[in-house]
Amino acid sequence: MYEAFFFLFALAAVGFAVNLVLQNHPIHSALSLIGVMASLASLYLMLGAEFIAAVQVIVYAGAIMVLFVFVIMLLNAGEEERTNFSRLAGTLGVPLILVLLASIASIVYRIAPSDEMVRFGDFHGRTADIGRMLFRTYLLPFEIVSILILVALVGAVVLARKES
Amino acid sequence: MTTTVLLFTLLKVIVIVFVVLTAVAYAVWFERKVVARLQSRWGPTRVGPHGLLQPLADAIKLLTKEDITPANVFRLVYFLAPALSVITALLAFAAIPFGPVTLVGGVDLFQIANLDIGVLYILSISSMGVYGIALAGWSSNSKYALLGGLRSSAQMISYALAAGLSLVGVLLLSGSLNLRDIVNAQAGATWGFIPHWNIFPQLLGFFCFLTAAIAQTNRLPFDLPEAESELVAGYHTEYSSMKFAMFFMAEYANMLTVSCMVTLLFLGGWHGPVFGPALLQTMLPLLWFSLKVLALLFLYIWIRGTLPRFRYDQLMAFGWKFLFPLALVNVLLTSLIVAYRAD
Amino acid sequence: MFQETIAPVGKRTMILNMGPQHPSTHGVLHLILELDGETILKATADIGFLHTGIEKTCEAKTYHQAITLTERIDYLCPLTNNLCYVLAVEKLLGLEPPSRAQWMRVMLNELTRIGSHLVWLGTHANDIGATTVLLYCFREREEILNLFEAVSGQRMMTSYFRVGGLALEPPAGFLKRVEKVMATFPDHIDEYEELLTRNRIWMARTKSVGILTKEDALDFAVSGPTARASGIDWDLRRDNPYSSYDKFSFRVPLRAEGDIYARYIVRMEEMRESLKIVRQALEGMPEGPIQVNAPAVVLPQGDNRKTEMEALIQQFKIVIDGFCVPPGEVYQAVESPRGEMGYYIVSDGTAHPYRVKVRSPSFANLQALPRLAEGRLLSDLVACIGSIDIVLGEIDR
């Protein structure tokens, strides 16, 4: 049953991802991306990383993608058009992606222990564990990242502000 | 997981969905009755005693009405949107405990799934609810609906943040994201009569969460997405029949979710005086829980009957410039107190 | 007039056809809005959806019959229309109704004003989201309509004012009844004010919103409470008295801000002033006939028709042929709940008016709407429409 759910969500994630690239209309692509996020969240959940799963949904699916959809709605973005350049990108891109995927797969295959599967609860993703790690072990990097994000936010506000 | 457990769980899901949908239908009846009394009217009186069968009549009416799909709508999204609304609204109930752990055949009767991250789960599911409204507004190919959809997306994102932040105080106090643990932390009473409810130490958080939650569920005075006098019916202007009813159900289910959340997090959940024979002792917590939810629903309706509506920019300013900082202050104060106590 | 749904080429704006079917355009007003997001760049009112042709129809009716048409122009204050028309015809005829009729007219006219303001307050508050006020207002308006029913047999289209006086002797104990109803009103008005006046959301929605400056108000020929909220101290009841209004003492509420809140306050105070006038009328109601002694114009009263031949003939003549009015033209203006309502009547000496033209306050007041709403949000527009208190029947006529 565990395997069945794993394959269900894994296939859903890949399927949505492929659909995301293939769709012409931006709103369909955005919806597919939400599907990818939701499937990934389910996979995290199956690993026992409940906190990450919830954050994945809240932050990505609930907030960032809403903004994406919002922008698409506001600008009323039309259908994507096929140009010569996009065809070129397609013909070059597909083989390159295959090469990339193959190399990642070979590396993962070499590193990962081949005789067992990651099981529910193997991954230390409990809320308390993550909290301890962030605020004890990795406190300095965490704070640096926070300040970095703050700087980026301020920058975005400054850039977006109209001179009056 | 044995087959019996699986079967029991399935049965439980069906029963809870049924109960929730019935509660939604009667929440509508309750609102109509209460608002009517507030406005010196009678409300529904014709169908059944006190209009008690009105929800049934409404359901029949909505199911048998002609289902109109306007020309030039974005069909896939247009059909998806109401379903998305209802699904997200109902999913939230999966993590809500309605009573203390009561095991029958190894299955907890009053909760579908006891998640360690119950609070986060409900927040994440309710944050998905905005898609139903935003997509409905966009796909309807109508300007009123579009404006309603845009308003609601902006509103829900803004207020989801304030709602989440205002819960941090409660989480800090109880040290858990599990809804059951949070409720159990509120058991007992000081001097025998002041219950250990989170509302007392977390009055600020309670106020912030309730306000943000009312805004998130699009109720007056924050009902801008469907402000009848401005946007006709907002995001569901172009929906009819059962598809319209689904938005309606979603709205009331969300009201119920919020009331349940407030009950669990601030009002001590199912805790209350328990006495009498064994059967009564099992049922009393359920009664306390329902009464608290009902009281919150009444508050919702009372507010609706009293206040005018905000303007859109005022709503955003209120959310970002008042509620959000207030929730932050609450987080700061609570963490200081918790840290001081820990020393 | 309906414009394309897509935005004009090269502009990042949107055209929204608001109305004629829309919950808050107070009837069938059609507004063409050019929106940038939710900000209104341009608002154009498109009127005429409720055109009834009443002015033209009057020409085919006798002076007596036309009374029933006039009250359908502004269906929220039927008696004010009646009064204005009747006064104009009386002016042409050179008749002066007896003082009891005049006082009754004043009293009923003020009751009408309160009723009309109640509808305004209810719908205006409902537009801004305070639904309960609507129900409360209509509850009290019902009391007033019941009074009208008692006095004339009709709740709204009463036709109670006739050329030369009143249609019927008021029923016994009518004044007592009015007194009883009016005694409850100060509390009711307090109740509305409790819900709204100091309400933070209400103030945020109405203060400094939809400002009409004094200059603009004069330019647009705005009148009534809308003008008085912009600092124009002009009330026809005081400044150009008719129907014994000069015998009553009342205050004309005035505000200088010109925003929605000022218009709200002015109308609320006006209701209280109207109550005062009604009370004065109740206290000082003179005795005497309700109709002027002019058998050629006034329908015979009571049982005369059944016993006296002359009366029967008079009745027949007035109903079938109507009465003739000396040639000439006249303009009579009264202070309706919405502003200066005027009837301009040209007579060619026959029993039918040659021309009836209505100067309707809403028509002029509506012209100010774009000035109030442009540059503001869609929600403000709804509040603005409510605040100028238009009646479409009167605009389109």
Side-chain angles (χ1 to χ4, degrees):
Chain A
M1 186 135 128
Y2 182 84
E3 279 83 358
F5 275 115
F6 170 77
F7 280 112
L8 180 70
F9 288 121
L11 279 177
V14 174
F16 277 126
V18 171
N19 193 42
L20 157 70
V21 180
L22 292 182
Q23 283 295 341
N24 281 339
H25 202 285
I27 207 98
H28 283 159
S29 298
L31 287 178
S32 306
L33 193 52
I34 298 165
V36 175
M37 304 287 182
S39 313
L40 283 184
S42 313
L43 288 175
Y44 290 145
L45 200 61
M46 292 178 68
L47 287 173
E50 294 178 324
F51 183 75
I52 296 183
V55 168
Q56 168 88 10
V57 174
I58 293 179
V59 175
Y60 284 101
I64 294 183
M65 284 316 295
V66 171
L67 284 180
F68 270 52
V69 171
F70 198 74
V71 169
I72 293 170
M73 280 161 63
L74 260 184
L75 299 183
N76 207 6
E79 302 241 332
E80 198 180 329
E81 283 169 24
R82 293 254 178 266
T83 58
N84 280 337
F85 188 73
S86 71
R87 277 192 207 98
L88 181 72
T91 43
L92 275 179
V94 172
L96 281 176
I97 281 177
L98 285 179
V99 170
L100 182 72
L101 282 179
S103 47
I104 290 176
S106 71
I107 292 169
V108 167
Y109 185 73
R110 229 173 287 157
I111 295 173
S114 55
D115 53 346
E116 54 183 311
M117 235 172 117
V118 186
R119 286 278 166 185
F120 181 82
D122 278 2
F123 182 70
H124 289 286
R126 299 279 157 83
T127 318
D129 298 334
I130 290 175
R132 266 186 212 104
M133 272 206 216
L134 279 183
F135 291 101
R136 293 216 174 119
T137 325
Y138 300 111
L139 182 61
L140 188 67
F142 177 77
E143 291 298 333
I144 291 174
V145 169
S146 308
I147 289 172
L148 200 67
I149 292 174
L150 186 67
V151 169
L153 266 176
V154 173
V157 171
V158 168
L159 285 177
R161 217 172 73 181
K162 277 182 204 151
E163 294 290 329
S164 55
Chain B
M1 205 182 270
T2 62
T3 323
T4 30
V5 172
L6 200 67
L7 268 178
F8 263 122
T9 313
L10 206 64
L11 200 67
K12 190 169 68 178
V13 170
I14 292 170
V15 168
I16 288 183
V17 166
F18 181 75
V19 168
V20 165
L21 287 181
T22 315
V24 163
Y26 277 90
V28 178
W29 173 85
F30 184 63
E31 161 151 30
R32 287 176 65 177
K33 265 310 205 204
V34 172
V35 163
R37 294 313 291 150
L38 287 176
Q39 299 176 339
S40 62
R41 301 185 280 123
W42 282 109
T45 52
R46 295 303 171 94
V47 196
H50 300 284
L52 271 170
L53 294 178
Q54 187 70 40
L56 203 68
D58 284 347
I60 293 169
K61 179 196 78 175
L62 285 164
L63 275 169
T64 50
K65 272 208 165 181
E66 186 187 358
D67 192 358
I68 301 163
T69 306
N72 297 325
V73 297
F74 216 88
R75 286 189 82 87
L76 177 71
V77 184
Y78 179 80
F79 285 110
L80 193 67
L84 214 58
S85 281
V86 168
I87 289 170
T88 50
L90 288 182
L91 271 181
F93 285 95
I96 290 178
F98 301 101
V101 180
T102 315
L103 291 176
V104 171
V107 175
D108 185 359
L109 269 190
F110 298 138
Q111 188 178 22
I112 293 181
N114 186 14
L115 297 180
D116 275 342
I117 47 150
V119 176
L120 281 182
Y121 168 79
I122 291 179
L123 284 182
S124 66
I125 287 295
S126 60
S127 76
M128 295 289 279
V130 66
Y131 285 113
I133 292 177
L135 292 176
W138 179 79
S139 66
S140 295
N141 194 28
S142 152
K143 284 166 191 170
Y144 291 118
L146 180 68
L147 285 175
L150 286 176
R151 277 179 174 192
S152 76
S153 342
Q155 179 176 337
M156 285 174 105
I157 298 172
S158 313
Y159 280 85
L161 219 58
L165 260 186
S166 52
L167 289 185
V168 173
V170 172
L171 303 179
L172 281 170
L173 282 184
S174 47
S176 173
L177 287 168
N178 185 316
L179 283 165
R180 248 183 217 296
D181 292 350
I182 294 174
V183 173
N184 286 332
Q186 301 176 60
T190 324
W191 306 321
F193 66 95
I194 301 176
H196 279 164
W197 293 354
N198 279 332
I199 181 172
F200 300 116
Q202 283 292 318
L203 200 60
L204 204 60
F206 173 75
F207 165 74
C208 287
F209 182 72
L210 199 67
T211 316
I214 292 174
Q216 251 191 310
T217 43
N218 297 329
R219 300 277 304 175
L220 256 166
F222 307 102
D223 67 336
L224 294 146
E226 44 185 309
E228 291 119 15
S229 52
E230 295 157 26
L231 300 181
V232 188
Y235 58 88
H236 57 57
T237 305
E238 303 294 337
Y239 283 89
S240 56
S241 181
M242 207 50 208
K243 290 210 286 291
F244 161 74
M246 280 159 102
F247 285 116
F248 212 66
M249 276 155 60
E251 186 183 322
Y252 281 84
N254 282 330
M255 269 169 72
L256 278 181
T257 315
V258 165
S259 303
C260 289
M261 280 285 273
V262 174
T263 307
L264 292 171
L265 295 170
F266 294 97
L267 299 180
W270 54 83
H271 286 304
V274 174
F275 47 81
L279 187 66
L280 191 66
Q281 286 200 1
T282 356
M283 298 318 286
L284 267 179
L286 274 186
L287 180 72
W288 298 135
F289 186 85
S290 324
L291 280 182
K292 287 169 189 174
V293 169
L294 209 60
L296 286 166
L297 278 181
F298 179 78
L299 183 70
Y300 252 108
I301 297 164
W302 190 9
I303 291 172
R304 183 196 145 177
T306 312
L307 291 181
R309 183 183 297 122
F310 273 109
R311 201 173 60 208
Y312 181 63
D313 56 328
Q314 290 165 347
L315 172 102
M316 294 308 262
F318 181 77
W320 286 106
K321 292 184 183 161
F322 180 73
L323 213 56
F324 187 68
L326 206 62
L328 268 180
V329 166
N330 183 45
V331 170
L332 205 67
L333 282 178
T334 316
S335 16
L336 280 178
I337 291 170
V338 168
Y340 176 76
R341 271 197 196 152
D343 279 345
Chain C
M1 278 293 268
F2 281 86
Q3 299 206 351
E4 279 299 305
T5 48
I6 44 169
V9 182
K11 275 189 180 172
R12 299 198 65 90
T13 58
M14 170 167 101
I15 298 288
L16 183 69
N17 284 299
M18 187 170 166
Q21 290 91 10
H22 188 283
S24 58
T25 52
H26 290 244
V28 283
L29 176 63
H30 173 212
L31 287 167
I32 302 157
L33 305 174
E34 191 179 338
L35 297 176
D36 176 15
E38 283 206 27
T39 312
I40 296 162
L41 300 178
K42 197 166 173 295
T44 315
D46 174 22
I47 58 173
F49 291 93
L50 205 59
H51 179 62
T52 47
I54 284 178
E55 288 176 349
K56 188 72 186 165
T57 314
C58 283
E59 294 169 18
K61 303 283 177 194
T62 65
Y63 284 98
H64 187 72
Q65 288 168 327
I67 294 173
T68 56
L69 292 175
T70 58
E71 60 204 0
R72 283 163 173 80
I73 288 179
D74 183 347
Y75 37 78
L76 289 185
C77 54
L79 280 168
T80 314
N81 286 269
N82 272 181
L83 179 66
C84 190
Y85 170 78
V86 164
L87 283 175
V89 178
E90 281 168 1
K91 221 187 221 180
L92 276 173
L93 285 164
L95 288 177
E96 168 90 9
S99 61
R100 176 146 172 258
Q102 293 196 11
W103 281 57
M104 278 295 285
R105 282 180 180 180
V106 167
M107 189 183 84
L108 291 171
N109 201 24
E110 292 308 312
L111 285 176
T112 310
R113 187 183 316 279
I114 297 172
S116 170
H117 279 359
L118 283 176
V119 175
W120 154 79
L121 177 65
T123 50
H124 184 41
N126 189 46
D127 287 347
I128 300 185
T131 38
T132 303
V133 179
L134 174 78
L135 274 301
Y136 287 174
C137 287
F138 272 76
R139 179 185 67 191
E140 267 76 80
R141 178 173 178 254
E142 200 59 26
E143 303 276 324
I144 292 178
L145 293 185
N146 283 341
L147 291 178
F148 289 160
E149 191 180 6
V151 77
S152 72
Q154 285 286 327
R155 284 154 48 81
M156 285 177 73
M157 303 306 161
T158 53
S159 301
Y160 187 59
F161 299 159
R162 297 287 164 82
V163 178
L166 307 175
L168 299 158
E169 183 73 30
F174 177 68
L175 295 185
K176 280 262 160 7
R177 220 177 134 178
V178 176
E179 206 173 336
K180 217 166 139 193
V181 172
M182 286 301 112
T184 63
F185 260 73
D187 287 348
H188 289 318
I189 298 176
D190 286 344
E191 194 178 9
Y192 315 139
E193 292 224 52
E194 221 163 80
L195 278 167
L196 299 176
T197 307
R198 311 280 306 155
N199 186 316
R200 296 287 290 271
I201 303 178
W202 180 262
M203 277 154 75
R205 285 298 305 274
T206 54
K207 276 202 169 168
S208 331
V209 176
I211 294 176
L212 184 70
T213 60
K214 194 171 179 178
E215 292 70 38
D216 280 342
L218 286 170
D219 286 350
F220 285 117
V222 167
S223 56
T226 313
R228 287 193 285 278
S230 298
I232 298 174
D233 194 7
W234 181 252
D235 188 322
L236 289 169
R237 289 176 295 171
R238 182 196 62 195
D239 300 317
N240 188 13
Y242 49 88
S243 192
S244 335
Y245 261 111
D246 46 350
K247 298 198 177 68
F248 293 85
S249 75
F250 57 96
R251 208 169 52 81
V252 176
L254 196 69
R255 299 283 280 203
E257 296 90 342
D259 56 5
I260 297 179
Y261 191 71
R263 294 195 272 281
Y264 161 76
I265 291 291
V266 164
R267 288 202 182 91
M268 293 308 275
E269 288 182 13
E270 257 181 32
M271 274 201 262
R272 292 186 193 276
E273 292 303 317
S274 294
L275 278 180
K276 260 193 232 166
I277 299 176
V278 172
R279 210 164 298 131
Q280 288 171 38
L282 285 170
E283 283 161 8
M285 183 69 68
E287 294 294 315
I290 52 159
Q291 285 169 336
V292 73
N293 185 19
V297 173
V298 178
L299 285 175
Q301 277 297 300
D303 289 336
N304 292 358
R305 286 162 289 187
K306 297 176 189 162
T307 53
E308 289 171 27
M309 189 62 190
E310 270 309 303
L312 188 63
I313 293 171
Q314 275 307 332
Q315 163 101 11
F316 187 79
K317 284 274 288 176
I318 292 172
V319 170
I320 302 298
D321 292 338
F323 49 82
C324 290
V325 170
E329 53 188 270
V330 67
Y331 176 77
Q332 172 69 42
V334 301
E335 185 73 23
S336 100
R338 270 156 279 285
E340 178 179 338
M341 157 165 292
Y343 273 69
Y344 172 70
I345 301 177
V346 182
S347 164
D348 55 359
T350 63
H352 305 269
Y354 178 75
R355 173 85 174 97
V356 175
K357 159 87 180 93
V358 180
R359 190 272 180 204
S360 63
S362 299
F363 182 76
N365 292 357
L366 181 65
Q367 310 309 309
L369 183 64
R371 183 60 56 91
L372 300 181
E374 275 169 15
R376 302 208 64 100
L377 294 173
L378 190 60
S379 319
D380 288 336
L381 172 73
V382 171
C384 287
I385 298 175
S387 78
I388 55 172
D389 190 19
I390 48 168
V391 166
L392 264 298
E394 183 197 305
I395 292 172
D396 296 339
R397 296 189 294 281

